[in-house]
Amino acid sequence: MNRLLSRRSILTTLAVAPAALALAACNKVGEAEAETAKPAETTKPADAMKPAGADKPAAAAPQSSGSVDMTALLKPGELPERQLGEDDAKVTIVEYASMTCPHCAHFHETTLPELKTKYIDTGKARLIFREFPFDPRAEAGFMLARCAGDNYFPMVDVLFKQQQNWAVAENVKDAMFQLSKLAGFTQESFNACLTDQKLLDQVRSVQKRGADEFKVDSTPTFFINGQTYKGALSIEELSAIIDPLL
């Protein structure tokens, strides 16, 4: 996964990559076989496993799986950060995601809009979104989002919403190109983006740094003011984490 490819290899790989590759999304880094892949567990509310009648709050905060140094976490990498929200927000959320991960798509479709309305648009929190691709299709998706410039987040949103139409498509190049046209890509700019070796290396660098420095091994993984949470958090869980930090 981390080996360097030729300038044409992303396009070439997309042409021959089996649809089963998408099943490897949400896996721990290094798991090679799609059929043995284990998707990241979607985090469940703390009361989901409580015995009947237990007097616990319905939206208890999920337990953190560890912590990281915020100064190190926020150190700039090889690619400019993509962020929603203001720099001076009290709460900083760093999300590592893969474009072919169904749990990531679910979070971005169902939870992010509420998170944005309740915390990001009100200046209480900011979200830094980082690339953590598990397969060539996810790499291509992130490359196209980066090439979309100011349309980075709209492109990410489209790719997540249409994930089932391209991530497992037999003709993935055509499927991705049709979506890319919504962001103004031509056939020429589409091909140029996916043959940009420097950009591919930079996307992989973001993924490698997340794995090596912050022990990211599944997606989505969130760091909220330095605390680590794995899985597609619900808005109730996020509120239980964020509110005490405000």
Side-chain angles (χ1 to χ4, degrees):
M1 180 182 299
N2 292 321
R3 67 182 185 277
L4 294 179
L5 301 179
S6 69
R7 289 182 61 84
R8 293 192 300 273
S9 62
I10 279 292
L11 285 173
T12 303
T13 302
L14 290 180
V16 299
L21 272 176
L23 299 179
C26 306
N27 278 5
K28 292 181 178 179
V29 176
E31 289 184 349
E33 299 297 329
E35 59 267 27
T36 62
K38 302 292 185 183
E41 287 290 333
T42 300
T43 306
K44 297 180 175 58
D47 65 326
M49 301 300 292
K50 70 180 182 181
D55 186 20
K56 291 185 178 180
Q63 185 174 356
S64 166
S65 61
S67 63
V68 297
D69 179 77
M70 280 295 289
T71 300
L73 182 66
L74 298 180
K75 181 181 177 182
E78 289 197 24
L79 284 171
E81 297 283 29
R82 293 299 185 178
Q83 173 178 306
L84 296 173
E86 302 298 327
D87 290 341
D88 61 355
K90 286 188 176 180
V91 176
T92 295
I93 305 167
V94 177
E95 176 192 1
Y96 281 88
S98 178
M99 287 307 311
T100 50
C101 170
H103 296 298
C104 301
H106 177 77
F107 174 81
H108 277 256
E109 288 187 61
T110 63
T111 304
L112 182 58
E114 294 182 84
L115 175 67
K116 193 171 183 294
T117 298
K118 189 173 182 180
Y119 295 105
I120 296 174
D121 292 347
T122 57
K124 298 175 182 177
R126 62 172 171 158
L127 174 70
I128 297 171
F129 183 73
R130 290 180 179 169
E131 296 93 343
F132 201 85
F134 280 117
D135 55 70
R137 296 181 182 212
E139 289 177 334
F142 282 129
M143 291 171 73
L144 291 169
R146 286 285 177 175
C147 290
D150 291 341
N151 287 323
Y152 178 88
F153 280 110
M155 188 70 188
V156 166
D157 289 342
V158 168
L159 288 169
F160 274 139
K161 288 177 182 178
Q162 298 293 325
Q163 189 183 78
Q164 290 303 309
N165 294 329
W166 64 269
V168 296
E170 182 175 351
N171 189 344
V172 64
K173 284 199 299 182
D174 183 65
M176 296 189 85
F177 175 57
Q178 295 306 317
L179 291 175
S180 298
K181 289 196 292 186
L182 298 175
F185 282 84
T186 63
Q187 187 70 65
E188 183 180 7
S189 61
F190 175 82
N191 290 342
C193 180
L194 295 186
T195 54
D196 186 338
Q197 183 65 43
K198 180 179 179 181
L199 178 58
L200 175 59
D201 292 343
Q202 289 171 323
V203 168
R204 289 176 172 173
S205 175
V206 174
Q207 191 254 23
K208 186 177 187 302
R209 181 184 173 214
D212 292 348
E213 295 188 27
F214 310 119
K215 310 307 178 186
V216 178
D217 59 7
S218 62
T219 57
T221 290
F222 299 92
F223 297 97
I224 304 178
N225 280 17
Q227 295 298 310
T228 307
Y229 302 91
K230 295 178 181 289
L233 300 172
S234 68
I235 189 61
E236 291 80 15
E237 291 171 309
L238 283 167
S239 295
I241 297 167
I242 294 171
D243 286 346
L245 301 174
L246 298 174

